[in-house]
């Protein structure tokens, strides 16, 4: 197991280098002058433009810019944004908000998927199962911004059950409604995976053997059926977490969440190479860490799995 963990950690290095290089290249290749865009409709002097390009290393070739950026990462320096604020401070301010929102959404999504998927699999073909599949298809078909606007208007403004927008500091109670929106939009896929896995596990020989040995249904379902049915659901949850880290931009915009999505979107529009690549670098590290934890959970959920 230790060798496997070390091997997976070593795999992070080429993935990280490749990701940062590709992102930096794509941002570098974007048309337009990011320094001139800082002034909007104003036309600065050539001397000012040249000084700013030199300050942000934009006057240097692409590979020199990239190497300088990597050099800064290894010493904990993520560079400066065009607003003059260190990118590390922006990361420290926005990433905890998005991670908190993503974790809340995953808990909601995973809880709904496991409970509803289990009961749906145990009642295959019955009324509960059919209604659940229809509801899941509806949530998979509706765009997330539609769900967000309906939840904001209905649950936030009309009923007043939740705060319709996120206030300063992004307290947990304000993040609850956007987390519900994200969780509900993601739960359908995990629920269908859980349902299918439960149905398949119920037909396995070890389940029949457990019943033949006289074990009760209350023992067989949670220990033998549910435990072995969670592997595809856990795998999909790791993917969902990565989607939430980079794909919650729309939801963050609707609910005014001061997280990664808003900052990253604005940085892309302004062509802020350093800010974009720094955010993506941290996202890649988080995503790789989550996938490593998920891989290690396989051995816990299924004792047949062994890593050598």
């Amino acid at each position: 197991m230790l060798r496997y963990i070390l091997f997976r950690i070593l795999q992070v290095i080429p993935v990280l280098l490749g990701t940062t290089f590709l992102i930096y290249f794509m941002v570098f290749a974007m048309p337009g002058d990011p320094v001139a865009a800082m002034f909007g409709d104003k036309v600065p002097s050539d001397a000012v433009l040249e000084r700013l390009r030199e300050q942000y290393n934009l006057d240097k070739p692409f590979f020199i810019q990239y190497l300088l950026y990597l050099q800064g990462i290894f010493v904990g320096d993520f560079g400066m944004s065009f607003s003059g604020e260190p990118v590390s401070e922006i990361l420290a301010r926005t990433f905890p908000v998005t991670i908190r929102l993503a974790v809340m959404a995953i808990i909601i999504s995973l809880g709904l998927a496991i409970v509803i998927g289990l009961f749906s699999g145990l009642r295959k073909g019955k009324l509960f199962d059919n209604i659940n599949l229809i509801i899941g298809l509806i949530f998979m078909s509706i765009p997330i911004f539609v769900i967000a606007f309906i939840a904001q208007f209905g649950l936030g403004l009309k009923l007043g059950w939740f705060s319709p927008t996120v206030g300063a500091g992004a307290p947990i109670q304000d993040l609850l409604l956007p987390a519900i929106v994200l969780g509900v939009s993601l739960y359908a896929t995990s629920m269908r995976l859980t349902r299918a896995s439960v149905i398949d596990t119920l037909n396995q020989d070890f389940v029949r053997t457990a019943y033949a040995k006289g074990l009760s249904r209350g023992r067989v379902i949670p220990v033998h059926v549910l435990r072995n049915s969670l592997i595809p659901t856990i795998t999909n949850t790791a993917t969902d977490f990565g989607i939430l880290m980079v794909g919650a931009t729309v939801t963050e915009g609707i609910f005014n969440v001061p997280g990664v999505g808003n900052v990253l979107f604005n940085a892309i529009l302004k062509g802020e190479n350093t800010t974009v690549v720094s955010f993506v670098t941290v996202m890649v590290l988080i995503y790789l860490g989550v996938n490593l934890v998920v891989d290690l959970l396989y051995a816990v959920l299924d004792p047949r799995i062994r890593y050598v």
Side-chain angles (χ1 to χ4, degrees), residues 156-259:
L157 296 176
K158 285 296 184 180
L159 298 177
W161 293 352
F162 303 95
S163 174
T165 57
V166 178
I172 292 180
Q173 61 269 21
D174 287 0
L175 290 175
L176 189 56
L177 185 56
I180 291 174
V181 170
L182 289 170
V184 167
S185 66
L186 292 174
Y187 107 94
T189 302
S190 296
M191 178 274 296
R192 291 170 67 90
L193 286 172
T194 304
R195 173 187 176 273
S197 187
V198 167
I199 294 173
D200 180 67
T201 305
L202 286 171
N203 296 320
Q204 297 296 318
D205 291 336
F206 65 86
V207 175
R208 300 191 190 97
T209 302
Y211 279 122
K213 290 170 62 177
L215 296 180
S216 65
R217 183 180 177 86
R219 172 73 176 175
V220 173
I221 297 302
V223 176
H224 297 277
V225 176
L226 181 59
R227 181 178 177 181
N228 289 280
S229 301
L230 287 180
I231 290 180
T233 305
I234 297 297
T235 303
N236 186 69
T237 300
T239 304
D240 286 344
F241 190 85
I243 293 173
L244 289 173
M245 289 299 301
V246 298
T249 304
V250 174
T251 306
E252 288 188 359
I254 293 174
F255 291 98
N256 194 34
V257 179

Side-chain angles (χ1 to χ4, degrees), residues 36-278:
M38 295 169 58
F39 295 90
D41 296 332
K42 299 179 181 180
V43 180
S45 64
D46 293 338
V48 172
L49 291 176
E50 194 65 30
R51 186 167 63 253
L52 286 174
R53 291 192 183 99
E54 182 179 353
Q55 177 182 344
Y56 292 103
N57 295 321
L58 297 176
D59 59 330
K60 297 178 176 59
F62 164 72
F63 284 104
I64 301 299
Q65 291 186 39
Y66 178 69
L67 292 176
L68 289 173
Y69 170 75
L70 286 181
Q71 179 182 354
I73 287 181
F74 288 119
V75 296
D77 180 14
F78 290 93
M80 299 285 291
S81 68
F82 286 171
S83 63
E85 184 180 9
V87 176
S88 57
E89 294 184 6
I90 302 176
L91 289 168
R93 184 177 66 250
T94 57
F95 257 97
V97 176
T98 299
I99 291 177
R100 194 157 62 239
L101 176 62
V103 170
M104 293 172 63
I106 287 296
I107 291 175
I108 294 171
S109 172
L110 195 59
L112 289 173
I114 292 175
V115 174
I116 298 177
L118 174 62
F119 283 100
S120 186
L122 295 175
R123 291 165 173 79
K124 177 185 176 183
K126 297 184 179 180
L127 181 61
F128 178 84
D129 182 36
N130 294 329
I131 293 177
N132 181 46
L133 290 176
I134 294 174
I135 294 175
L137 286 174
I138 291 174
F139 279 119
M140 292 176 66
S141 304
I142 300 177
I144 189 171
F145 66 87
V146 175
I147 301 176
F149 278 125
I150 292 175
Q152 187 181 50
F153 180 77
L155 302 179
L157 296 176
K158 285 296 184 180
L159 298 177
W161 293 352
F162 303 95
S163 174
T165 57
V166 178
I172 292 180
Q173 61 269 21
D174 287 0
L175 290 175
L176 189 56
L177 185 56
I180 291 174
V181 170
L182 289 170
V184 167
S185 66
L186 292 174
Y187 107 94
T189 302
S190 296
M191 178 274 296
R192 291 170 67 90
L193 286 172
T194 304
R195 173 187 176 273
S197 187
V198 167
I199 294 173
D200 180 67
T201 305
L202 286 171
N203 296 320
Q204 297 296 318
D205 291 336
F206 65 86
V207 175
R208 300 191 190 97
T209 302
Y211 279 122
K213 290 170 62 177
L215 296 180
S216 65
R217 183 180 177 86
R219 172 73 176 175
V220 173
I221 297 302
V223 176
H224 297 277
V225 176
L226 181 59
R227 181 178 177 181
N228 289 280
S229 301
L230 287 180
I231 290 180
T233 305
I234 297 297
T235 303
N236 186 69
T237 300
T239 304
D240 286 344
F241 190 85
I243 293 173
L244 289 173
M245 289 299 301
V246 298
T249 304
V250 174
T251 306
E252 288 188 359
I254 293 174
F255 291 98
N256 194 34
V257 179
V260 171
N262 284 330
V263 175
L264 188 58
F265 178 73
N266 292 324
I268 293 173
L269 291 180
K270 296 176 182 178
E272 295 194 25
N273 305 30
T274 305
T275 304
V276 174
V277 180
S278 297

Side-chain angles (χ1 to χ4, degrees), residues 1-6 296 299 305-308:
M1 180 69 75
L2 180 61
R3 291 179 59 187
Y4 172 76
I5 296 174
L6 293 175
L296 298 180
I305 298 176
R306 292 291 182 268
Y307 295 113
V308 178

